[in-house]
Amino acid sequence: QVQLVESGGGLVQAGGSLRLSCEASGGTFYIYAMGWFRQAPGKEREFVAAISWNGISTYYTDSVKGRFTMSRDNGNQMVYLQMNSLKPEDTAVYYCAADQYGLGNSQSNVYDYWGQGTQVTVSS
């Protein structure tokens, strides 16, 4: 089984930056595509970014493209989401997810494992 633990959330002013981290354990990390999703109160869970198992391909939802960067460190079993130029509409709980042998997918139902989330709040 794979366990995922997110960290790095917090309160930041609009225009600021945060880096979210997701630490994986209990599995063969390098075979998993990884995704970041977010959910704001009263809204559906939204795809944010994904990276293929080999780190070659990344995907971003249009609203974060150019501002967010996803990366992975297979040796340390970590994935990251660098968030720059944050906007109030980025406020949400951010979740890390793992998709075995995946190439990166925006659909949440393809992911096998999920973390508990980390809160990101962006003030205006």
Side-chain angles (χ1 to χ4, degrees):
Q1 303 297 318
V2 173
Q3 294 81 46
L4 304 173
V5 179
E6 304 95 335
S7 62
L11 175 64
V12 65
Q13 290 189 342
S17 298
L18 286 172
R19 188 180 75 161
L20 305 184
S21 299
C22 174
E23 183 175 6
S25 62
T28 307
F29 177 73
Y30 58 82
I31 68 173
Y32 292 88
M34 303 296 294
W36 286 98
F37 293 78
R38 65 189 181 187
Q39 187 167 23
K43 297 183 179 180
E44 296 182 349
R45 184 167 51 188
E46 176 189 24
F47 169 75
V48 177
I51 189 166
S52 61
W53 68 271
N54 56 16
I56 292 176
S57 300
T58 54
Y59 308 89
Y60 302 93
T61 192
D62 287 344
S63 64
V64 309
K65 190 174 183 180
R67 299 188 298 121
F68 291 10
T69 302
M70 188 174 183
S71 60
R72 67 188 299 157
D73 179 353
N74 286 345
N76 291 315
Q77 300 191 186
M78 299 286 292
V79 295
Y80 305 96
L81 185 67
Q82 178 66 46
M83 305 186 295
N84 298 325
S85 301
L86 283 162
K87 304 174 181 179
E89 51 263 45
D90 296 318
T91 295
V93 177
Y94 283 70
Y95 297 92
C96 178
D99 174 21
Q100 190 172 17
Y101 298 112
L103 300 177
N105 199 298
S106 64
Q107 300 298 309
S108 62
N109 61 4
V110 309
Y111 288 86
D112 303 298
Y113 303 100
W114 294 83
Q116 296 300 306
T118 185
Q119 176 72 49
V120 172
T121 303
V122 184
S123 62
S124 60

